[in-house]
Amino acid sequence: MDTGLSDDPELQPLLFTLFLSMYLVTMLGNLLIILAVTSDPHLHTPMYFFLSNLSLADIGFISTTVPKMIVNIQTHGRVISYAGCLTQMSIFILFGCMDGMLLSVMSYDRFVAICHPLHYTVIMNPHLCCFLVLVSFFGSLMDSQVHNLIMLQLTCFKDVEISNFFCDPSLLLKLACSDIFTKNIVIYFIGAIFAFLPFSGIFYSYYKILSSVLRVRSSGGRYKAFSTCGSHLAVVCLFYGTGLGVYLSSAISQSPRKDAVASVVYTVITPMLNPFIYSLRNRDFKRAFCRFLNKTI
């Protein structure tokens, strides 16, 4: 049984409208990015190729949890099968991990563009770009399947209520009857690897970018270099900042409702804001979007 966000019947219509609106805005924003990138030859570059894949991952990420929650609010039913719970958990981890790995790949792309501009087209060739996306996908798939295999070994549960609106693996482990010490160690170890490696890649890339930019004498050159990675840095801060917030909230707070609200910010707000962050300050994307609308109309 999924306890959701609120048991107040008067709040259900508001929650339904709110989450449906946010889901539709997220889907529309990310689909527009994908359509604009695929339809405009000017955007057939590694940066926009990775951005379209990030938008695809965001669509999968939010579609794993929000549609089920919207249906639960509308039907007043909060039951999910064990198989459905494991499936939701696996897909959620797959797309969540892929988000982090793609952000790391995009930081490497910015590092090459700023630190090695003359060799950019040679280094970031189509074969390498496709390879990096495939590595991100299969690495994320491995992470999700490790979690899935561990959960399949749980034979009984103390309770059937999950104090969140989706099947969070940490909450499922807390409900297990059997000894979960070893399983906790494995899950945290795998989680640390797939969180630390992308983040360390991002940190190293921006360390090299900062070192390179500081050697530029003109302020105009520095601004131009920083402006090329400003949107990406904002998304990185949003993704890892909200993720850290969810982790700290679950570790410190004893209120399931507060944990659920923190999870909403991470799973719903972040994918919704990503298209706005990338498109509002990007002139190339604005022009491509206008050309796409002109063709469509």
Side-chain angles (χ1 to χ4, degrees):
M1 179 72 76
D2 184 354
T3 58
L5 288 169
S6 174
D7 295 323
D8 189 350
E10 294 181 359
L11 284 178
Q12 300 307 304
L14 176 62
L15 289 174
F16 176 81
T17 306
L18 179 65
F19 283 106
L20 180 61
S21 302
M22 288 194 293
Y23 180 68
L24 292 176
V25 168
T26 304
M27 292 294 288
L28 180 62
N30 284 290
L31 282 173
L32 284 175
I33 284 181
I34 294 170
L35 289 172
V37 171
T38 53
S39 64
D40 196 315
H42 296 89
L43 299 184
H44 291 176
T45 62
M47 182 177 73
Y48 292 109
F49 172 70
F50 295 135
L51 177 59
S52 62
N53 279 278
L54 181 68
S55 293
L56 195 61
D58 279 339
I59 288 173
F61 189 54
I62 194 171
S63 296
T64 308
T65 55
V66 175
K68 173 66 177 171
M69 180 171 59
I70 291 171
V71 171
N72 288 348
I73 294 172
Q74 183 66 15
T75 60
H76 306 288
R78 294 172 181 171
V79 178
I80 186 170
S81 66
Y82 182 59
C85 188
L86 289 182
T87 303
Q88 185 188 63
M89 181 200 70
S90 298
I91 299 174
F92 176 80
I93 294 172
L94 168 66
F95 287 114
C97 183
M98 195 169 176
D99 260 4
M101 296 191 77
L102 283 173
L103 286 173
S104 181
V105 168
M106 292 171 78
S107 70
Y108 174 72
D109 172 71
R110 293 298 84 206
F111 157 70
V112 176
I114 293 172
C115 299
H116 305 283
L118 298 178
H119 301 97
Y120 178 74
T121 53
V122 177
I123 297 173
M124 300 304 296
N125 58 76
H127 295 291
L128 179 63
C129 292
C130 292
F131 174 74
L132 290 173
V133 170
L134 287 174
V135 167
S136 299
F137 174 76
F138 285 110
S140 304
L141 184 63
M142 185 174 74
D143 184 25
S144 71
Q145 290 311 302
V146 168
H147 280 80
N148 201 28
L149 288 172
I150 290 173
M151 294 304 164
L152 284 171
Q153 293 176 12
L154 302 178
T155 53
C156 68
F157 295 92
K158 304 173 197 172
D159 199 353
V160 291
E161 273 198 0
I162 303 170
S163 56
N164 212 326
F165 63 91
F166 71 100
C167 294
D168 188 328
S170 61
L171 295 178
L172 289 176
L173 276 176
K174 288 179 182 177
L175 297 177
C177 301
S178 55
D179 180 32
I180 60 168
F181 180 73
T182 306
K183 295 179 178 63
N184 259 326
I185 290 176
V186 173
I187 279 187
Y188 281 114
F189 178 72
I190 295 294
I193 290 175
F194 283 97
F196 175 75
L197 287 179
F199 183 77
S200 60
I202 293 169
F203 182 82
Y204 176 77
S205 295
Y206 275 103
Y207 166 74
K208 299 298 286 185
I209 288 171
L210 185 63
S211 301
S212 179
V213 170
L214 289 178
R215 288 197 294 267
V216 178
R217 293 183 179 180
S218 66
S219 58
R222 289 180 183 180
Y223 176 78
K224 185 177 180 181
F226 277 125
S227 64
T228 60
C229 52
S231 298
H232 175 261
L233 194 57
V235 171
V236 167
C237 293
L238 182 65
F239 180 79
Y240 282 100
T242 53
L244 182 63
V246 170
Y247 176 78
L248 292 176
S249 174
S250 61
I252 298 171
S253 174
Q254 300 299 319
S255 171
R257 296 292 180 214
K258 290 182 180 178
D259 293 346
V261 171
S263 297
V264 166
V265 176
Y266 181 64
T267 59
V268 183
I269 305 296
T270 302
M272 183 180 71
L273 291 181
N274 283 355
F276 294 101
I277 294 173
Y278 273 108
S279 61
L280 288 178
R281 293 182 60 191
N282 192 314
R283 293 180 181 177
D284 293 336
F285 187 81
K286 287 178 182 177
R287 289 172 190 150
F289 182 61
C290 290
R291 285 192 290 266
F292 173 73
L293 287 180
N294 290 332
K295 287 180 183 178
T296 307
I297 296 172

